[in-house]
Amino acid sequence: MDVFAVLAEPARRRILDRLRRSESSVGDLVRELSMGQPAVSKHLKVLREAGLVSSRTAAQQRIYRVEPRPLAALDEWLAPYRRLWDDRLDALEAHLDSQE
């Protein structure tokens, strides 16, 4: 599954942002994100299929956590664009400094 397509959905990004802070159950995510349980479960399924989250069982709950490996691949792909923006911002800073 294409990580970009998965992350295009704002609700999935909100779930990932929340899971980045700590592992959580579906119930915790429902409460904290003010989303319905079916929606959270649907988004978690998509995130799990994309390899962005995994789960473990604790008593009667599934506890979800972020899996960093697919995000590392995304970060690697974005690196040249980050350098491009850094170079452009450095050039803008130099230009502004020369105007003083």
Side-chain angles (χ1 to χ4, degrees):
M1 184 171 282
D2 180 27
V3 172
F4 288 103
V6 171
L7 295 177
E9 169 57 50
R12 292 186 199 125
R13 292 193 307 269
R14 286 179 55 214
I15 290 170
L16 279 178
D17 286 342
R18 172 54 191 82
L19 291 175
R20 182 173 39 98
R21 287 183 272 146
S22 66
E23 296 181 344
S24 295
S25 68
V26 173
D28 291 339
L29 293 170
V30 165
R31 281 187 297 281
E32 292 180 33
L33 299 175
S34 300
M35 295 173 62
Q37 185 275 325
V40 169
S41 293
K42 178 187 82 165
H43 290 305
L44 284 169
K45 180 182 179 192
V46 173
L47 290 165
R48 193 173 57 247
E49 289 173 352
L52 293 166
V53 301
S54 63
S55 66
R56 63 180 171 81
T57 303
Q60 300 294 323
Q61 296 182 322
R62 282 185 172 234
I63 307 298
Y64 289 86
R65 67 180 164 271
V66 172
E67 288 297 329
R69 187 170 296 164
L71 295 171
L74 179 62
D75 184 57
E76 184 178 317
W77 184 86
L78 287 169
Y81 296 98
R82 204 169 8 269
R83 283 191 297 275
L84 174 70
W85 277 108
D86 285 345
D87 291 347
R88 290 189 178 180
L89 289 173
D90 289 346
L92 176 60
E93 182 180 24
H95 174 73
L96 293 174
D97 287 345
S98 72
Q99 300 297 311
E100 293 180 353

XYZ file of all heavy atoms in Angstrom:
808
model
N 0.843 -1.175 0.000
C 0.000 0.000 0.000
C 0.892 1.243 0.000
O 1.904 1.294 0.689
C -0.898 -0.022 1.230
C -1.872 1.110 1.264
S -3.111 0.949 2.561
C -4.188 -0.238 1.785
N 0.507 2.244 -0.755
C 1.281 3.469 -0.902
C 1.175 4.319 0.362
O 0.088 4.731 0.768
C 0.758 4.242 -2.116
C 1.497 5.538 -2.351
O 2.670 5.646 -1.961
O 0.892 6.450 -2.929
N 2.312 4.572 0.997
C 2.338 5.338 2.242
C 1.780 6.743 2.024
O 1.076 7.275 2.881
C 3.774 5.389 2.807
C 3.869 6.324 3.991
C 4.234 4.001 3.198
N 2.058 7.339 0.875
C 1.540 8.680 0.598
C 0.015 8.685 0.557
O -0.618 9.594 1.094
C 2.104 9.228 -0.717
C 3.547 9.599 -0.624
C 4.515 8.777 -1.165
C 3.943 10.758 0.024
C 5.852 9.109 -1.076
C 5.281 11.098 0.121
C 6.237 10.271 -0.433
N -0.575 7.691 -0.073
C -2.034 7.609 -0.129
C -2.618 7.414 1.265
O -3.639 8.014 1.605
C -2.459 6.470 -1.053
N -1.964 6.598 2.062
C -2.437 6.359 3.425
C -2.369 7.646 4.241
O -3.309 7.994 4.957
C -1.614 5.236 4.097
C -1.928 5.120 5.566
C -1.868 3.907 3.387
N -1.273 8.366 4.118
C -1.086 9.580 4.908
C -1.825 10.789 4.354
O -1.877 11.836 5.010
C 0.407 9.893 5.034
C 1.210 8.862 5.825
C 2.686 9.226 5.813
C 0.683 8.718 7.237
N -2.426 10.654 3.181
C -3.208 11.750 2.618
C -4.464 12.025 3.439
O -4.988 13.142 3.410
C -3.590 11.439 1.170
N -4.912 11.053 4.186
C -6.116 11.188 5.006
C -5.760 11.881 6.325
O -4.969 11.348 7.111
C -6.717 9.804 5.270
C -7.801 9.766 6.299
C -8.970 10.677 5.997
O -9.496 10.627 4.863
O -9.340 11.454 6.902
N -6.324 13.070 6.592
C -5.987 13.801 7.822
C -6.249 13.017 9.109
O -5.474 13.127 10.067
C -6.871 15.048 7.760
C -7.185 15.229 6.313
C -7.227 13.842 5.730
N -7.306 12.228 9.147
C -7.607 11.458 10.366
C -6.496 10.450 10.657
O -6.146 10.224 11.822
C -8.951 10.742 10.225
N -5.914 9.874 9.636
C -4.825 8.914 9.845
C -3.582 9.620 10.366
O -2.863 9.081 11.215
C -4.528 8.156 8.561
C -5.662 7.239 8.178
C -5.316 6.368 6.984
N -6.561 5.895 6.431
C -6.937 6.047 5.174
N -6.132 6.602 4.291
N -8.104 5.599 4.770
N -3.337 10.820 9.870
C -2.199 11.582 10.389
C -2.428 11.948 11.848
O -1.496 11.901 12.658
C -1.960 12.839 9.541
C -1.468 12.518 8.129
C -0.941 13.737 7.409
N -1.850 14.864 7.384
C -2.744 15.111 6.427
N -2.862 14.291 5.398
N -3.511 16.178 6.483
N -3.661 12.289 12.209
C -3.968 12.593 13.616
C -3.731 11.366 14.493
O -3.184 11.479 15.600
C -5.423 13.051 13.754
C -5.666 14.450 13.232
C -7.117 14.891 13.356
N -7.608 14.779 14.707
C -8.865 14.455 15.020
N -9.753 14.223 14.071
N -9.248 14.382 16.280
N -4.140 10.209 14.019
C -3.928 8.970 14.778
C -2.437 8.710 14.947
O -1.970 8.404 16.050
C -4.647 7.779 14.108
C -6.168 7.943 14.247
C -4.186 6.451 14.703
C -6.985 6.970 13.418
N -1.673 8.840 13.870
C -0.219 8.640 13.967
C 0.421 9.648 14.919
O 1.293 9.285 15.714
C 0.442 8.747 12.594
C 0.392 7.520 11.710
C 1.061 7.814 10.374
C 1.036 6.330 12.368
N -0.004 10.903 14.836
C 0.535 11.917 15.738
C 0.273 11.535 17.193
O 1.130 11.693 18.052
C -0.062 13.293 15.448
C 0.482 13.926 14.188
O 1.552 13.488 13.710
O -0.164 14.863 13.680
N -0.913 11.048 17.454
C -1.257 10.642 18.824
C -0.434 9.425 19.250
O 0.080 9.375 20.365
C -2.761 10.358 18.910
C -3.231 9.763 20.200
C -2.794 10.599 21.413
N -3.035 9.879 22.625
C -2.237 8.947 23.137
N -1.114 8.601 22.541
N -2.542 8.351 24.271
N -0.298 8.433 18.369
C 0.455 7.230 18.706
C 1.948 7.503 18.837
O 2.661 6.748 19.492
C 0.199 6.134 17.668
C -1.202 5.537 17.666
C -1.357 4.557 16.522
C -1.520 4.877 19.009
N 2.403 8.564 18.235
C 3.819 8.938 18.349
C 4.162 9.239 19.803
O 5.259 8.951 20.267
C 4.090 10.153 17.465
C 5.513 10.625 17.439
C 5.710 11.730 16.408
N 4.607 12.672 16.355
C 4.596 13.862 16.964
N 5.627 14.250 17.678
N 3.555 14.670 16.852
N 3.219 9.786 20.542
C 3.451 10.126 21.951
C 3.473 8.891 22.839
O 4.273 8.807 23.749
C 2.401 11.106 22.443
C 2.613 12.497 21.875
C 1.605 13.467 22.417
N 0.446 13.403 21.537
C -0.799 13.540 21.925
N -1.081 13.740 23.182
N -1.773 13.465 21.067
N 2.564 7.942 22.580
C 2.534 6.711 23.380
C 1.585 5.709 22.744
O 0.692 6.067 21.974
C 2.092 6.985 24.814
O 0.748 7.426 24.844
N 1.794 4.454 23.084
C 0.899 3.400 22.635
C -0.496 3.672 23.191
O -0.625 4.245 24.272
C 1.378 2.047 23.144
C 2.710 1.623 22.618
C 3.127 0.262 23.150
O 2.539 -0.213 24.141
O 4.040 -0.330 22.568
N -1.522 3.248 22.437
C -2.893 3.505 22.877
C -3.831 2.423 22.380
O -3.599 1.814 21.334
C -3.402 4.843 22.339
O -2.680 5.910 22.870
N -4.904 2.261 23.115
C -5.975 1.363 22.683
C -6.921 2.130 21.770
O -6.883 3.370 21.691
C -6.745 0.847 23.898
O -7.462 1.917 24.501
N -7.787 1.404 21.110
C -8.802 2.038 20.256
C -9.657 2.974 21.097
O -9.940 4.108 20.696
C -9.679 0.975 19.550
C -10.833 1.630 18.813
C -8.836 0.160 18.589
N -10.061 2.517 22.279
C -10.895 3.346 23.154
C -10.223 4.654 23.528
O -10.866 5.711 23.555
N -8.926 4.595 23.828
C -8.193 5.821 24.148
C -8.183 6.775 22.954
O -8.377 7.979 23.106
C -6.747 5.504 24.536
C -6.629 4.772 25.860
O -7.572 4.848 26.677
O -5.591 4.102 26.065
N -7.952 6.233 21.776
C -7.922 7.064 20.566
C -9.291 7.684 20.297
O -9.384 8.864 19.935
C -7.459 6.242 19.365
C -6.008 5.775 19.415
C -5.731 4.765 18.314
C -5.050 6.948 19.321
N -10.346 6.906 20.486
C -11.712 7.416 20.282
C -11.944 8.616 21.195
O -12.433 9.662 20.755
C -12.748 6.297 20.536
C -14.149 6.867 20.683
C -12.695 5.264 19.420
N -11.609 8.471 22.469
C -11.822 9.557 23.435
C -10.958 10.779 23.132
O -11.451 11.906 23.127
C -11.541 9.075 24.861
C -12.663 8.272 25.464
C -12.405 7.972 26.932
N -11.210 7.149 27.148
C -11.155 5.835 26.985
N -12.223 5.177 26.572
N -10.036 5.167 27.208
N -9.692 10.559 22.887
C -8.779 11.680 22.721
C -8.948 12.415 21.393
O -8.690 13.614 21.317
C -7.340 11.206 22.876
C -7.032 10.769 24.294
C -5.608 10.291 24.451
O -4.715 10.829 23.755
O -5.397 9.377 25.254
N -9.352 11.700 20.362
C -9.468 12.317 19.041
C -10.898 12.709 18.690
O -11.145 13.244 17.613
C -8.907 11.367 17.976
C -7.429 11.012 18.140
C -7.013 9.975 17.124
C -6.554 12.251 18.060
N -11.827 12.406 19.591
C -13.244 12.722 19.354
C -13.734 12.171 18.015
O -14.345 12.879 17.224
C -13.489 14.233 19.430
O -13.132 14.725 20.690
N -13.412 10.915 17.783
C -13.853 10.221 16.578
C -14.660 9.015 17.007
O -14.496 8.517 18.117
C -12.642 9.750 15.752
C -11.794 10.861 15.197
S -10.265 10.259 14.410
C -10.893 9.276 13.086
N -15.498 8.539 16.126
C -16.258 7.336 16.409
C -15.379 6.094 16.358
O -14.378 6.056 15.646
N -15.779 5.090 17.119
C -15.007 3.846 17.159
C -14.898 3.179 15.797
O -13.807 2.738 15.426
C -15.612 2.901 18.204
C -14.813 1.630 18.424
C -15.170 0.536 17.427
O -16.326 0.413 17.024
N -14.186 -0.235 17.026
N -15.988 3.117 14.992
C -15.833 2.489 13.670
C -14.816 3.223 12.786
O -14.037 2.585 12.072
C -17.236 2.561 13.073
C -18.148 2.629 14.253
C -17.396 3.444 15.275
N -14.798 4.545 12.856
C -13.861 5.316 12.035
C -12.424 5.064 12.485
O -11.533 4.847 11.657
C -14.187 6.806 12.104
N -12.189 5.088 13.795
C -10.837 4.849 14.307
C -10.379 3.450 13.902
O -9.252 3.264 13.429
C -10.780 5.032 15.841
C -9.449 4.533 16.401
C -10.994 6.496 16.209
N -11.247 2.467 14.065
C -10.884 1.091 13.709
C -10.574 0.964 12.223
O -9.619 0.279 11.839
C -12.010 0.130 14.101
O -12.129 0.072 15.502
N -11.374 1.621 11.389
C -11.140 1.585 9.938
C -9.779 2.190 9.590
O -8.998 1.604 8.830
C -12.254 2.342 9.213
C -12.082 2.404 7.701
C -13.098 3.299 7.047
C -12.613 4.718 7.166
N -13.275 5.695 6.326
N -9.484 3.333 10.182
C -8.206 3.992 9.887
C -7.034 3.176 10.425
O -5.983 3.095 9.784
C -8.192 5.406 10.445
C -9.111 6.338 9.714
N -9.050 6.535 8.355
C -10.123 7.120 10.163
C -9.978 7.407 7.994
N -10.648 7.769 9.076
N -7.195 2.578 11.594
C -6.131 1.739 12.135
C -5.864 0.534 11.243
O -4.717 0.124 11.069
C -6.469 1.284 13.553
C -6.293 2.338 14.636
C -6.914 1.868 15.939
C -4.827 2.690 14.829
N -6.916 -0.011 10.672
C -6.739 -1.147 9.757
C -5.897 -0.739 8.556
O -4.973 -1.463 8.151
C -8.097 -1.688 9.307
C -7.976 -2.855 8.351
C -9.330 -3.344 7.890
C -9.127 -4.503 6.921
N -10.337 -4.861 6.220
N -6.208 0.410 7.978
C -5.449 0.902 6.823
C -3.992 1.169 7.232
O -3.058 0.789 6.516
C -6.104 2.173 6.237
C -5.239 2.800 5.148
C -7.491 1.838 5.683
N -3.796 1.804 8.378
C -2.442 2.080 8.859
C -1.675 0.787 9.122
O -0.483 0.690 8.822
C -2.495 2.929 10.133
C -2.946 4.380 9.942
C -3.306 5.012 11.285
C -1.875 5.184 9.227
N -2.366 -0.204 9.661
C -1.726 -1.498 9.937
C -1.348 -2.194 8.635
O -0.245 -2.725 8.499
C -2.658 -2.368 10.779
C -1.983 -3.586 11.377
C -2.881 -4.348 12.342
N -4.123 -4.784 11.727
C -5.338 -4.328 12.047
N -5.489 -3.422 12.985
N -6.404 -4.768 11.430
N -2.246 -2.185 7.649
C -1.961 -2.817 6.356
C -0.793 -2.147 5.642
O -0.072 -2.791 4.891
C -3.208 -2.811 5.480
C -4.282 -3.772 5.955
C -5.584 -3.656 5.191
O -5.748 -2.721 4.366
O -6.466 -4.507 5.429
N -0.612 -0.849 5.879
C 0.505 -0.114 5.274
C 1.790 -0.300 6.075
O 2.844 0.175 5.658
C 0.158 1.364 5.184
N 1.706 -0.976 7.214
C 2.885 -1.202 8.046
C 3.257 -0.030 8.926
O 4.314 -0.034 9.550
N 2.389 0.986 8.998
C 2.695 2.183 9.776
C 2.407 2.024 11.264
O 2.946 2.768 12.083
C 1.927 3.382 9.225
C 2.371 3.826 7.838
C 1.369 4.776 7.221
C 3.744 4.457 7.900
N 1.527 1.085 11.608
C 1.257 0.776 13.010
C 1.218 -0.732 13.183
O 1.007 -1.477 12.227
C -0.069 1.397 13.541
C -0.078 2.904 13.421
C -1.277 0.801 12.870
N 1.430 -1.155 14.406
C 1.262 -2.557 14.765
C 0.487 -2.601 16.072
O 0.289 -1.568 16.725
C 2.619 -3.261 14.902
O 3.357 -2.670 15.941
N 0.049 -3.789 16.436
C -0.715 -3.903 17.675
C -0.267 -5.130 18.453
O 0.312 -6.063 17.900
C -2.211 -3.989 17.370
O -2.504 -5.179 16.680
N -0.555 -5.076 19.730
C -0.349 -6.211 20.608
C -1.603 -6.343 21.459
O -2.344 -5.376 21.632
C 0.894 -6.028 21.481
C 0.821 -4.862 22.422
C 2.101 -4.726 23.263
N 2.100 -3.478 23.997
C 1.459 -3.268 25.136
N 0.748 -4.230 25.687
N 1.519 -2.097 25.735
N -1.830 -7.521 21.969
C -3.000 -7.752 22.795
C -2.622 -7.624 24.261
O -1.609 -8.171 24.701
C -3.583 -9.153 22.529
O -3.882 -9.240 21.126
C -4.845 -9.395 23.321
N -3.435 -6.872 24.993
C -3.270 -6.719 26.446
C -4.651 -6.915 27.060
O -5.524 -6.064 26.910
C -2.715 -5.356 26.796
N -4.842 -8.077 27.673
C -6.156 -8.452 28.233
C -7.175 -8.452 27.094
O -7.013 -9.185 26.128
C -6.543 -7.540 29.375
N -8.184 -7.614 27.191
C -9.241 -7.577 26.176
C -9.019 -6.491 25.133
O -9.875 -6.259 24.283
C -10.601 -7.337 26.857
C -10.990 -8.405 27.851
C -11.230 -9.743 27.176
O -11.765 -9.816 26.079
N -10.800 -10.820 27.823
N -7.889 -5.803 25.178
C -7.653 -4.670 24.289
C -6.504 -4.942 23.321
O -5.602 -5.719 23.610
C -7.280 -3.422 25.102
C -8.361 -2.925 26.005
C -7.915 -1.669 26.730
O -6.760 -1.545 27.131
N -8.832 -0.743 26.897
N -6.577 -4.244 22.196
C -5.442 -4.173 21.282
C -4.777 -2.831 21.542
O -5.438 -1.796 21.566
C -5.886 -4.245 19.825
C -6.228 -5.624 19.379
C -6.537 -5.593 17.892
N -6.667 -6.958 17.447
C -5.992 -7.476 16.446
N -5.185 -6.717 15.734
N -6.141 -8.729 16.111
N -3.484 -2.879 21.730
C -2.717 -1.661 21.972
C -1.899 -1.388 20.705
O -1.150 -2.243 20.233
C -1.783 -1.819 23.188
C -2.566 -2.283 24.418
C -1.019 -0.528 23.445
C -3.646 -1.323 24.882
N -2.063 -0.185 20.167
C -1.413 0.189 18.901
C -0.206 1.070 19.158
O -0.172 1.860 20.090
C -2.420 0.922 17.999
C -3.473 0.000 17.466
C -4.620 -0.264 18.201
C -3.311 -0.635 16.242
C -5.594 -1.135 17.719
C -4.270 -1.504 15.759
C -5.407 -1.748 16.496
O -6.357 -2.616 16.031
N 0.783 0.925 18.265
C 1.991 1.753 18.328
C 2.467 2.037 16.898
O 2.179 1.300 15.965
C 3.077 1.071 19.135
C 3.627 -0.182 18.486
C 4.727 -0.822 19.336
N 4.977 -2.180 18.905
C 4.347 -3.265 19.353
N 3.406 -3.155 20.262
N 4.633 -4.452 18.889
N 3.221 3.103 16.760
C 3.793 3.488 15.463
C 4.950 2.557 15.138
O 5.756 2.210 15.999
C 4.283 4.954 15.493
C 5.052 5.295 14.229
C 3.127 5.902 15.691
N 5.034 2.170 13.876
C 6.173 1.417 13.358
C 7.022 2.382 12.537
O 6.573 2.904 11.519
C 5.707 0.244 12.496
C 5.084 -0.869 13.289
C 6.054 -1.515 14.264
O 7.277 -1.548 13.973
O 5.605 -1.960 15.328
N 8.238 2.657 12.966
C 9.034 3.706 12.323
C 9.618 3.346 10.959
O 9.939 4.248 10.184
C 10.146 3.987 13.328
C 10.240 2.754 14.149
C 8.866 2.143 14.167
N 9.752 2.075 10.629
C 10.457 1.708 9.396
C 9.848 2.346 8.138
O 10.584 2.949 7.348
C 10.529 0.192 9.255
C 11.410 -0.216 8.067
C 11.675 -1.681 8.057
N 12.443 -1.999 9.261
C 12.600 -3.204 9.745
N 12.045 -4.229 9.136
N 13.320 -3.423 10.814
N 8.527 2.246 7.892
C 7.991 2.897 6.686
C 8.159 4.411 6.720
O 8.337 5.040 5.682
C 6.516 2.517 6.686
C 6.405 1.333 7.567
C 7.503 1.472 8.580
N 8.120 4.995 7.908
C 8.315 6.437 8.013
C 9.768 6.812 7.723
O 10.033 7.877 7.172
C 7.885 6.926 9.393
C 6.390 6.762 9.673
C 6.093 7.057 11.126
C 5.559 7.620 8.752
N 10.695 5.949 8.073
C 12.100 6.198 7.753
C 12.307 6.206 6.239
O 13.054 7.040 5.714
C 12.988 5.154 8.410
N 11.633 5.305 5.539
C 11.729 5.285 4.077
C 11.143 6.567 3.489
O 11.692 7.133 2.531
C 11.010 4.064 3.520
N 10.048 7.032 4.056
C 9.439 8.285 3.617
C 10.385 9.453 3.886
O 10.578 10.321 3.030
C 8.109 8.489 4.344
C 7.325 9.743 4.044
C 6.929 9.791 2.575
C 6.103 9.808 4.932
N 11.009 9.463 5.058
C 11.963 10.511 5.402
C 13.144 10.514 4.433
O 13.610 11.577 4.009
C 12.450 10.325 6.839
C 13.376 11.437 7.270
O 12.971 12.614 7.211
O 14.523 11.120 7.647
N 13.616 9.329 4.066
C 14.722 9.217 3.110
C 14.325 9.805 1.757
O 15.107 10.504 1.114
C 15.114 7.747 2.960
C 16.301 7.518 2.078
C 16.669 6.046 1.997
O 16.656 5.375 3.041
O 16.949 5.583 0.883
N 13.090 9.547 1.335
C 12.616 10.081 0.063
C 12.511 11.602 0.126
O 12.808 12.295 -0.849
C 11.268 9.459 -0.290
C 10.770 9.891 -1.627
C 11.066 9.331 -2.839
C 9.892 10.992 -1.908
N 10.433 10.025 -3.845
C 9.704 11.039 -3.302
C 9.251 11.936 -1.113
C 8.903 11.994 -3.914
C 8.455 12.889 -1.719
C 8.289 12.907 -3.106
N 12.113 12.136 1.281
C 11.928 13.578 1.433
C 13.245 14.341 1.620
O 13.278 15.559 1.440
C 11.016 13.866 2.627
C 9.543 13.539 2.416
C 8.802 13.611 3.743
C 8.928 14.462 1.387
N 14.314 13.665 1.977
C 15.586 14.322 2.297
C 16.071 15.283 1.208
O 16.459 16.416 1.525
C 16.650 13.281 2.625
N 16.063 14.904 -0.075
C 16.539 15.856 -1.088
C 15.684 17.118 -1.167
O 16.193 18.208 -1.427
C 16.456 15.074 -2.405
C 16.280 13.653 -2.037
C 15.759 13.607 -0.655
N 14.390 16.977 -0.909
C 13.505 18.145 -0.938
C 13.773 19.043 0.261
O 13.726 20.272 0.153
C 12.045 17.702 -0.971
C 11.738 16.944 -2.230
C 11.739 15.559 -2.231
C 11.489 17.613 -3.423
C 11.488 14.857 -3.399
C 11.237 16.914 -4.595
C 11.236 15.536 -4.573
O 10.999 14.839 -5.722
N 14.080 18.433 1.399
C 14.422 19.204 2.591
C 15.707 20.003 2.327
O 15.799 21.178 2.689
C 14.591 18.251 3.776
C 14.380 18.882 5.103
C 14.283 17.947 6.279
N 14.553 16.544 6.134
C 13.645 15.594 5.848
N 12.386 15.920 5.641
N 13.984 14.331 5.758
N 16.694 19.366 1.688
C 17.937 20.074 1.350
C 17.663 21.221 0.379
O 18.245 22.302 0.510
C 18.964 19.101 0.772
C 19.628 18.240 1.830
C 20.820 17.479 1.274
N 20.470 16.519 0.232
C 20.053 15.269 0.458
N 19.936 14.831 1.689
N 19.758 14.480 -0.543
N 16.773 20.983 -0.580
C 16.414 22.034 -1.536
C 15.852 23.246 -0.807
O 16.258 24.381 -1.062
C 15.404 21.489 -2.547
C 14.811 22.496 -3.519
C 15.857 22.958 -4.521
C 13.626 21.881 -4.243
N 14.921 23.014 0.124
C 14.331 24.127 0.867
C 15.363 24.782 1.779
O 15.385 26.007 1.908
C 13.124 23.656 1.678
C 11.911 23.633 0.800
C 11.259 22.547 0.304
C 11.226 24.770 0.275
N 10.219 22.947 -0.501
C 10.173 24.297 -0.532
C 11.405 26.141 0.404
C 9.293 25.150 -1.196
C 10.532 27.002 -0.261
C 9.491 26.491 -1.052
N 16.226 24.008 2.388
C 17.282 24.585 3.222
C 18.169 25.507 2.396
O 18.498 26.618 2.826
C 18.133 23.490 3.874
C 17.436 22.796 5.024
O 16.412 23.324 5.524
O 17.908 21.709 5.415
N 18.539 25.051 1.200
C 19.381 25.871 0.316
C 18.663 27.163 -0.059
O 19.264 28.242 -0.056
C 19.758 25.100 -0.950
C 20.716 23.956 -0.676
O 21.293 23.898 0.434
O 20.874 23.096 -1.578
N 17.382 27.065 -0.367
C 16.627 28.265 -0.763
C 16.452 29.222 0.420
O 16.519 30.437 0.243
C 15.287 27.875 -1.358
C 15.477 27.227 -2.710
C 14.220 27.007 -3.440
N 14.520 26.424 -4.740
C 13.612 26.118 -5.617
N 12.344 26.319 -5.360
N 13.966 25.596 -6.773
N 16.212 28.668 1.593
C 16.080 29.527 2.775
C 17.411 30.188 3.116
O 17.444 31.359 3.520
C 15.538 28.729 3.956
C 14.067 28.339 3.839
C 13.686 27.406 4.975
C 13.171 29.560 3.804
N 18.520 29.457 2.943
C 19.843 30.045 3.162
C 20.083 31.187 2.180
O 20.619 32.246 2.552
C 20.939 28.994 3.028
C 20.957 28.008 4.186
O 20.315 28.275 5.231
O 21.613 26.951 4.035
N 19.689 31.000 0.926
C 19.857 32.046 -0.087
C 18.992 33.262 0.256
O 19.442 34.411 0.114
C 19.501 31.510 -1.474
N 17.770 33.016 0.732
C 16.900 34.131 1.133
C 17.511 34.869 2.317
O 17.522 36.109 2.337
C 15.513 33.608 1.510
C 14.529 34.643 2.045
C 14.272 35.748 1.023
C 13.224 33.969 2.460
N 18.029 34.135 3.283
C 18.664 34.780 4.441
C 19.845 35.639 4.002
O 20.000 36.770 4.458
C 19.119 33.718 5.436
C 19.752 34.300 6.687
C 20.203 33.231 7.661
O 20.457 32.085 7.247
O 20.303 33.560 8.849
N 20.677 35.111 3.097
C 21.826 35.876 2.607
C 21.360 37.132 1.882
O 21.946 38.215 2.046
C 22.678 34.999 1.686
N 20.308 37.000 1.089
C 19.764 38.160 0.381
C 19.266 39.221 1.362
O 19.539 40.405 1.205
C 18.649 37.721 -0.566
C 17.942 38.855 -1.211
N 18.498 39.622 -2.207
C 16.715 39.400 -0.962
C 17.656 40.569 -2.566
N 16.563 40.450 -1.814
N 18.520 38.792 2.357
C 17.989 39.736 3.342
C 19.106 40.400 4.151
O 19.029 41.589 4.440
C 16.994 39.035 4.268
C 15.691 38.571 3.608
C 14.855 37.769 4.586
C 14.906 39.740 3.049
N 20.140 39.616 4.475
C 21.274 40.186 5.191
C 21.987 41.233 4.352
O 22.482 42.250 4.892
C 22.261 39.099 5.609
C 21.750 38.241 6.744
O 20.752 38.644 7.410
O 22.331 37.161 6.980
N 22.042 41.039 3.042
C 22.732 42.000 2.162
C 21.937 43.280 2.002
O 22.483 44.305 1.577
C 22.991 41.372 0.789
O 21.776 41.242 0.060
N 20.653 43.255 2.351
C 19.797 44.437 2.238
C 19.923 45.375 3.428
O 19.441 46.502 3.393
C 18.326 44.020 2.082
C 18.057 43.172 0.861
C 18.342 43.894 -0.429
O 17.899 45.022 -0.631
N 19.124 43.277 -1.299
N 20.554 44.913 4.490
C 20.660 45.727 5.714
C 21.672 46.806 5.592
O 22.585 46.907 4.934
C 20.999 44.828 6.912
C 19.873 43.906 7.245
C 20.194 43.002 8.421
O 21.336 42.988 8.902
O 19.286 42.312 8.862
